[in-house]
């Protein structure tokens, strides 16, 4: 059975995490999310995301908006359009915690249609989305992230709350960028300012012990990025 819990990290308030379907060869999907500790097993998504979505993406990074490099991301100009080029390889260190992952692909969508499975994003006026694929520990751990921008913080939070009550096809993502079989498979999601972040991580047995920490810090770190992204600093 799937499990549900709540995680608050680093002041970013990044909400629910939940298990993927049981380890095995079945297609990976987000489960039906309920508030019980023992929700029913989920149905698989009605359709997998197309490799060529409505908005044409590119795995070859394009020139980003003017930005300055900060850590493993390129700090964008405040309120500029969201692009996958803002995120590079992930090199994280905090106290004794260290994680690294290679960014193996990125897609920038001019709308949220390619990742909107049930119209929730459109209903809340989602403006733009990016999708990132990461690989760590020699490919034994893989991560896919969806990041979506909204016109207001309220719209982002409303979308996040609504998605947490829907079934597995509420959002779509590139399942071929995750493991087809896995020992660890979970999703974390939550709103951060005017953005919604969804992080899917799968790992085989050799990386399972590292997956929980990796997953929590990747979600929290990139959610934290959005807390500061659109701030204007004046001297």
């Amino acid at each position: 059975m799937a499990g549900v819990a709540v995680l608050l990290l680093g002041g970013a308030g990044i909400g629910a995490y939940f298990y993927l379907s049981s380890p095995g060869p079945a297609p990976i999907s987000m489960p039906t999310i309920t508030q019980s500790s023992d929700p029913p097993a989920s149905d698989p998504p009605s359709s997998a995301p197309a490799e060529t979505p409505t908005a044409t993406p590119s795995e070859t990074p394009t020139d980003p908006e003017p930005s300055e490099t900060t850590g493993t991301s390129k700090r964008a100009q405040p309120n500029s359009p969201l692009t996958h080029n803002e995120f590079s390889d992930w090199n994280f260190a905090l106290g004794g915690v260290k994680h690294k992952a290679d960014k193996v692909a990125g897609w920038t969508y001019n709308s949220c249609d390619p990742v909107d499975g049930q119209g929730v994003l459109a209903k809340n006026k989602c403006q733009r989305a990016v999708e990132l694929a990461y690989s760590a520990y020699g490919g034994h751990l893989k991560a896919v992230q969806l990041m979506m921008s909204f016109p207001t913080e309220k719209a982002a939070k409303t979308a996040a709350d609504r998605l947490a009550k829907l079934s597995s096809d509420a959002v779509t993502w590139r399942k071929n960028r995750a493991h087809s079989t896995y020992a660890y498979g979970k999703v974390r999601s939550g709103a951060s300012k005017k953005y919604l972040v969804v992080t899917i991580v799968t790992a085989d047995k050799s990386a399972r012990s590292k997956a929980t920490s990796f997953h929590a810090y990747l979600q929290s770190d990139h959610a934290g990025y959005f807390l500061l992204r659109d701030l204007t600093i004046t001297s």
Side-chain angles (χ1 to χ4, degrees), residues 128-164:
R128 194 174 175 91
V130 301
E131 188 168 7
L132 309 173
Y134 288 102
S135 179
Y137 306 110
H140 295 286
L141 184 151
K142 295 182 180 181
V144 178
Q145 279 195 314
L146 299 176
M147 302 174 183
M148 294 143 280
S149 62
F150 293 80
T152 65
E153 293 183 26
K154 181 179 179 181
K157 186 177 186 304
T158 300
D161 290 344
R162 180 58 179 155
L163 288 177

Side-chain angles (χ1 to χ4, degrees), residues 188-200:
R188 295 179 185 268
S189 66
S192 181
K193 292 290 188 178
K194 297 188 296 183
Y195 301 89
L196 175 61
V197 181
V198 177
T199 306
I200 303 101

Side-chain angles (χ1 to χ4, degrees), residues 24-158:
I28 297 168
S29 64
M30 292 169 57
T32 300
I33 308 167
T34 70
Q35 296 306 310
S36 69
S37 60
D38 191 21
S42 63
D43 295 326
S46 57
S47 61
E51 276 298 310
T52 305
T54 304
T56 303
S58 172
E59 291 198 25
T60 302
T62 56
D63 292 335
E65 296 292 322
S67 60
E68 59 183 80
T69 300
T70 305
T72 58
S73 62
K74 300 175 181 178
R75 186 70 61 188
Q77 291 295 318
N79 299 305
S80 60
L82 182 65
T83 78
H84 78 81
N85 293 294
E86 295 177 40
F87 301 91
S88 304
D89 294 344
W90 188 54
N91 293 293
F92 180 84
L94 179 65
V97 178
K98 294 183 180 181
H99 291 293
K100 295 180 65 176
D102 295 328
K103 178 186 174 185
V104 295
W107 302 266
T108 297
Y109 306 122
N110 294 324
S111 75
C112 296
D113 291 348
V115 298
D116 194 354
Q118 290 187 355
V120 173
L121 303 180
K123 184 176 181 179
N124 288 281
K125 303 186 186 304
C126 186
Q127 298 169 318
R128 194 174 175 91
V130 301
E131 188 168 7
L132 309 173
Y134 288 102
S135 179
Y137 306 110
H140 295 286
L141 184 151
K142 295 182 180 181
V144 178
Q145 279 195 314
L146 299 176
M147 302 174 183
M148 294 143 280
S149 62
F150 293 80
T152 65
E153 293 183 26
K154 181 179 179 181
K157 186 177 186 304
T158 300

